Amino acid sequence: MRALFLILGCLVTTPAIGASCIPSERPPANHPSLAALPDSYWTGLQAWSDLPPGDRALLARVSIVQRDVRALNPHLTFSDEVPRNVVPLRTAPDQEFVADGAASLDALVLAARLYLRDRGSFYVSNGFRSYAVQLETWPRNLEKYLARIRADLPPANAKGYSDDAVCALRAYAGSHYAFPGYSNHQSGRAADFHFRAGDAPELNSDSGGDNIARWCKSDIYGWLHRNARSYGFIQAKIDEPWHWVYDPGAAKTSEADRVATSCQGKID
Ligand SMILES: [Zn+2]
């Protein structure tokens, strides 16, 4: 049983996705994401300048593939604009949220605190994040998972990492972080929740360790699943139990039943 678990664990961390993740066509050169973030932006990125050339090339390819996959999806819109209609949250004055959803988010947080009573502190750790911050975060997050790719799918020859390595890293990054220009934090409509109780490990917005698993089985996640929809919030299409999106229209439909992939079957 343990062996089977380990095998499955391996498949989860490095999905057996072949070169199929690499688009066979290029997006139009005038697509706004190609204009804002051309190939040269990624191949010359200063943030990766200390890495070996092969690793730099891998991270640039992953970013270019992710940019192109997004650009080729007609349902997605790239934006490098900063919304002006964000306001500070009353329950977390250092965080901002889109003006039409801020009161609902504050009401949700206050209701969750009532439910939790004195069992710990619950608050929004991340609301609106600007395009500039997203742009800075993506390369840093991508670099965090290099070690895993180096270990599982090292460069086979002088040509560098394989397409499988590109696709494995893209699949992982793509399910955890929005590419710059596509995050709903950037629109001001996403909130990351945070829970802390005494000396127990906090529930934060880190995809590493057992944080996701602990979120899934926590009382507060069950409460959010049952109640967030009545405040207009739904679980985002990414595997982050702490990440919720203000979408009052979708909250009235079956979209509101969605749970983070890792939490499926683990909550009431
Ligand atoms: Zn988030």
Side-chain angles (χ1 to χ4, degrees):
M1 187 62 194
R2 185 171 162 76
L4 177 65
F5 181 77
L6 289 173
I7 291 166
L8 287 173
C10 258
L11 287 176
V12 169
T13 50
T14 45
I17 298 171
S20 57
C21 85
I22 297 169
S24 54
E25 54 177 317
R26 295 277 295 179
N30 65 353
H31 187 279
S33 72
L34 272 71
L37 303 169
D39 290 12
S40 57
Y41 175 87
W42 298 108
T43 54
L45 198 69
Q46 197 59 32
W48 296 330
S49 58
D50 291 342
L51 295 173
D55 289 351
R56 265 195 337 252
L58 171 68
L59 299 186
R61 278 192 72 200
V62 171
S63 303
I64 290 166
V65 167
Q66 186 72 336
R67 180 202 63 192
D68 290 354
V69 168
R70 292 278 176 278
L72 288 163
N73 184 334
H75 302 295
L76 299 177
T77 307
F78 174 86
S79 168
D80 56 2
E81 285 175 16
V82 178
R84 299 184 191 284
N85 58 338
V86 291
V87 296
L89 289 170
R90 285 173 50 212
T91 56
D94 59 333
Q95 297 297 324
E96 294 175 312
F97 204 72
V98 70
D100 61 282
S104 297
L105 180 52
D106 279 325
L108 181 159
V109 170
L110 292 173
R113 287 175 181 172
L114 262 185
Y115 162 74
L116 291 163
R117 294 186 177 272
D118 52 2
R119 283 187 285 158
S121 62
F122 178 75
Y123 54 92
V124 173
S125 60
N126 260 299
F128 164 67
R129 264 199 314 260
S130 70
Y131 172 73
V133 169
Q134 286 292 130
L135 203 51
E136 197 189 315
T137 310
W138 170 265
R140 272 212 313 266
N141 285 335
L142 212 52
E143 194 180 335
K144 275 201 276 184
Y145 294 96
L146 249 184
R148 184 174 290 172
I149 296 296
R150 273 200 207 109
D152 293 352
L153 295 164
N157 53 46
K159 283 168 68 183
Y161 287 94
S162 63
D163 288 351
D164 284 348
V166 172
C167 292
L169 184 52
R170 189 200 80 94
Y172 191 80
S175 65
H176 286 83
Y177 320 111
F179 189 75
Y182 295 97
S183 169
N184 32 36
H185 279 287
Q186 204 184 296
S187 67
R189 296 188 174 275
D192 293 340
F193 294 118
H194 195 109
F195 177 68
R196 183 183 297 140
D199 294 335
E202 59 189 9
L203 298 176
N204 56 29
S205 53
D206 187 342
S207 299
D210 62 352
N211 186 49
I212 290 180
R214 287 187 298 104
W215 258 108
C216 292
K217 61 182 187 216
S218 67
D219 286 351
I220 188 60
Y221 188 72
W223 185 90
L224 286 167
H225 181 62
R226 293 190 300 275
N227 296 285
R229 69 185 70 195
S230 62
Y231 296 89
F233 284 81
I234 61 165
Q235 180 79 84
K237 283 183 190 152
I238 51 175
D239 194 16
E240 297 182 349
W242 53 85
H243 178 101
W244 292 74
V245 175
Y246 184 63
D247 188 341
K252 295 191 181 88
T253 71
S254 57
E255 282 282 279
D257 293 328
R258 190 192 297 132
V259 295
T261 315
S262 303
C263 300
Q264 278 165 14
K266 294 184 186 158
I267 56 165
D268 297 337

